[in-house]
């Protein structure tokens, strides 16, 4: 068996021990004589899985009692609609968005279908190589919420300071930085993300929402199944939840606990990112387009400035077991997604290859 170093932006690398455990339990989950894929979501065994997953997530993130945790389907993209539908006041629907990359741009565009949605700030003028200065952004005091994408997966930028939105709830898409560092949940009204970047297999989106923001009077056309009230009242089981995905997420939560929780995870992630950024800063052969103070430690785009050379780099990487390093088409070049489960040895192998490639192509 040959495992590669998988730098995919998502679906992405998972901890090997988690995959091994899931393999061991595949045919017979804890004496039930069946796989988790085959069991009723109403069974005692699955009830145990989802309850333990939620409890572990709560303890990892320090989620206060007055926040609900929902395990939903439809990916982050369905929540681009779910957020305005659930949070806008139908009498006077208003929200402010900061656009710092492709994902927040998509969310903004979707939200505009549902109300008076204002672009509060954008960094598109410089191809999203920075995060707008949150101290200079003005928000409407009567907005129902302010929206950000905390880590833009494609462009590789990250908010290292949150906007101060006063009494207006802050909503954050954390898909690509979920559980990568400690977080103060009380600073947010809603934290949500698809799990396939940093937590589990595609098919689960986790929504963490302050209870008082769960409205009954949502926009009237909101499908019942998309109403957070429906899913909160049903413990995420108004219909069949993405059972197997939730089971894997639960295993990853335990794995993160074993890494020292979010503090431990952050330390490891910073060390890994430093290996790559320190090298990028030491050479002019590659360029990292994102402004230093806004860099993501999860997604690291870099380019040589020559498309043919970039293509050669990607092909050579693949030949060495360094996979999915090609950048997104909107940035070009390369992108290394170095999520929680990417071992430091993987980043070191990448930098080793980058050095050799530089030497032979200078
Ligand atoms: C991947 C991604 C999404 C979209 O997730 P889907 O599950 O494909 O809908 C949204 N936001 C961010 C930040 C992402 O990285």
């Amino acid at each position: 068996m040959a495992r590669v170093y998988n730098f995919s932006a998502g679906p992405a690398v998972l901890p090997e021990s988690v995959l091994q455990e899931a393999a061991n339990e595949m045919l017979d989950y804890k004496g039930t004589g069946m796989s988790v894929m085959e069991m009723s979501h109403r069974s005692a065994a699955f009830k145990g899985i989802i309850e333990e997953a939620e409890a572990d997530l709560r303890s990892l993130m320090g989620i206060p009692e007055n926040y609900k945790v929902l395990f939903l389907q439809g990916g982050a993209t369905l929540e681009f609609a779910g957020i305005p539908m659930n949070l806008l006041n139908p009498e006077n629907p208003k929200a402010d968005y900061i656009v710092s990359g492709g994902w927040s741009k998509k969310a903004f565009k979707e939200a505009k279908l549902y109300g008076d949605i204002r672009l509060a700030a954008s960094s598109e003028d410089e191809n999203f190589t920075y995060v707008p200065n949150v101290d200079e952004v003005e928000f409407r005091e009567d907005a129902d919420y302010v929206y950000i994408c905390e880590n833009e997966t494609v462009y590789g930028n990250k908010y290292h300071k949150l906007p101060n939105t006063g009494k207006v709830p802050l909503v954050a898409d954390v898909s690509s930085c979920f559980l990568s560092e400690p977080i103060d949940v009380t600073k947010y009204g809603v934290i949500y993300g698809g799990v396939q970047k940093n937590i589990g297999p595609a098919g689960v989106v986790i929504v963490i929402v302050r209870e008082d923001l769960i409205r009954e009077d949502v926009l009237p056309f909101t499908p019942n199944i998309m109403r957070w009230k429906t899913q909160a009242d049903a413990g995420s089981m108004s219909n069949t939840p993405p059972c197997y995905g939730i089971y894997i997420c639960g295993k990853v939560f335990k794995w993160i606990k074993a890494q020292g929780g979010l503090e431990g995870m952050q330390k490891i992630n910073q060390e890994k990112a430093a290996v790559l950024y320190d090298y990028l800063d030491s050479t002019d052969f590659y360029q990292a387009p994102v402004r230093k103070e806004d860099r993501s430690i999860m997604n690291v785009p870099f380019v040589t400035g020559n498309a043919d050379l970039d293509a050669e780099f990607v092909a050579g990487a693949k030949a060495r077991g360094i996979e999915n390093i090609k950048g997104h088409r909107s940035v070009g070049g390369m992108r290394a997604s170095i999520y929680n489960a990417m071992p430091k040895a993987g980043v070191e192998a990448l930098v080793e290859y980058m050095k050799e490639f530089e030497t032979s192509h200078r």
Side-chain angles (χ1 to χ4, degrees):
M1 184 199 68
R3 300 258 309 157
V4 297
Y5 288 126
N6 177 10
F7 290 90
S8 169
V13 58
L14 287 168
E16 212 166 287
S17 62
V18 165
L19 297 176
Q20 194 57 60
E21 254 180 55
N24 294 343
E25 292 173 348
M26 183 60 79
L27 297 182
D28 176 11
Y29 176 73
K30 295 194 176 165
T32 57
M34 61 180 91
S35 157
V36 173
M37 269 184 251
E38 302 168 297
M39 62 179 56
S40 165
H41 59 295
R42 309 280 177 204
S43 64
F46 187 73
K47 195 162 179 279
I49 288 170
I50 193 169
E51 285 176 358
E52 204 168 322
E54 178 174 338
D56 284 336
L57 181 64
R58 282 184 177 276
S59 78
L60 270 176
M61 293 178 72
I63 301 174
E65 284 289 315
N66 65 324
Y67 283 74
K68 291 281 188 194
V69 175
L70 309 177
F71 295 97
L72 307 177
Q73 307 200 42
T77 305
L78 191 62
E79 292 309 316
F80 292 171
I83 283 159
M85 284 178 177
N86 279 281
L87 293 178
L88 289 174
N89 176 355
E91 304 292 319
N92 185 17
K94 275 189 187 181
D96 287 354
Y97 277 62
I98 302 182
V99 169
S100 56
W103 291 117
S104 42
K105 192 176 173 183
K106 282 194 172 139
F108 171 62
K109 204 170 155 209
E110 180 72 22
K112 285 208 285 189
L113 298 172
Y114 309 110
D116 166 11
I117 309 298
R118 177 177 157 264
L119 182 65
S122 166
S123 55
E124 193 166 16
D125 57 343
E126 292 183 33
N127 201 30
F128 303 122
T129 51
Y130 70 100
V131 171
N133 180 352
V134 294
D135 295 328
E136 288 172 1
V137 185
E138 284 174 16
F139 305 107
R140 293 179 293 184
E141 275 173 28
D142 61 345
D144 296 315
Y145 63 94
V146 169
Y147 184 99
I148 63 168
C149 174
E150 198 160 327
N151 186 89
E152 279 283 0
T153 322
V154 170
Y155 294 87
N157 66 47
K158 163 86 166 55
Y159 285 77
H160 294 289
K161 180 182 180 190
L162 294 175
N164 179 0
T165 58
K167 284 196 168 17
V168 181
L170 179 66
V171 175
D173 175 358
V174 299
S175 296
S176 49
C177 59
F178 229 152
L179 304 182
S180 63
E181 60 182 18
I183 184 168
D184 180 355
V185 176
T186 63
K187 292 212 157 78
Y188 304 80
V190 178
I191 300 170
Y192 83 102
V195 304
Q196 75 273 23
K197 311 290 161 69
N198 217 6
I199 305 183
V204 184
V205 56
I206 298 176
V207 176
I208 300 162
V209 51
R210 214 174 66 210
E211 258 164 9
D212 61 289
L213 298 175
I214 301 180
R215 311 177 71 100
E216 298 210 30
D217 62 332
V218 295
L219 297 182
F221 47 77
T222 308
N224 205 13
I225 196 66
M226 283 180 69
R227 295 177 188 221
W228 293 343
K229 175 92 174 66
T230 306
Q231 290 288 19
D233 288 351
S236 303
M237 293 217 254
S238 172
N239 67 333
T240 316
C243 302
Y244 197 80
I246 293 168
Y247 157 75
I248 299 291
C249 290
K251 290 198 180 298
V252 172
F253 298 154
K254 291 204 187 296
W255 177 82
I256 294 173
K257 282 188 159 180
Q259 311 301 304
L262 298 189
E263 280 82 11
M265 212 64 258
Q266 178 182 42
K267 188 165 172 285
I268 299 166
N269 286 331
Q270 283 172 341
E271 282 170 14
K272 279 184 329 198
V275 171
L276 187 46
Y277 281 124
D278 286 351
Y279 172 61
L280 283 168
D281 289 342
S282 74
T283 171
D284 58 4
F285 185 76
Y286 305 96
Q287 297 88 47
V290 175
R291 194 163 71 182
K292 271 189 189 173
E293 56 269 37
D294 298 329
R295 282 174 170 173
S296 165
I297 60 167
M298 295 281 101
N299 310 100
V300 184
F302 59 94
V303 299
T304 64
N306 173 334
D308 293 336
L309 213 51
D310 288 346
E312 198 184 328
F313 180 96
V314 172
K318 192 173 169 62
R320 293 184 163 217
I322 293 172
E323 293 261 2
N324 293 316
I325 197 78
K326 190 172 186 293
H328 190 273
R329 60 189 178 282
S330 49
V331 180
M334 283 68 73
R335 171 179 47 170
S337 293
I338 49 175
Y339 296 123
N340 286 350
M342 170 58 66
K344 192 174 177 189
V347 183
E348 287 166 349
L350 171 63
V351 169
E352 199 49 46
Y353 169 61
M354 289 169 74
K355 286 180 183 168
E356 283 179 31
F357 189 86
E358 172 175 351
T359 307
S360 55
H361 291 78
R362 236 191 206 291

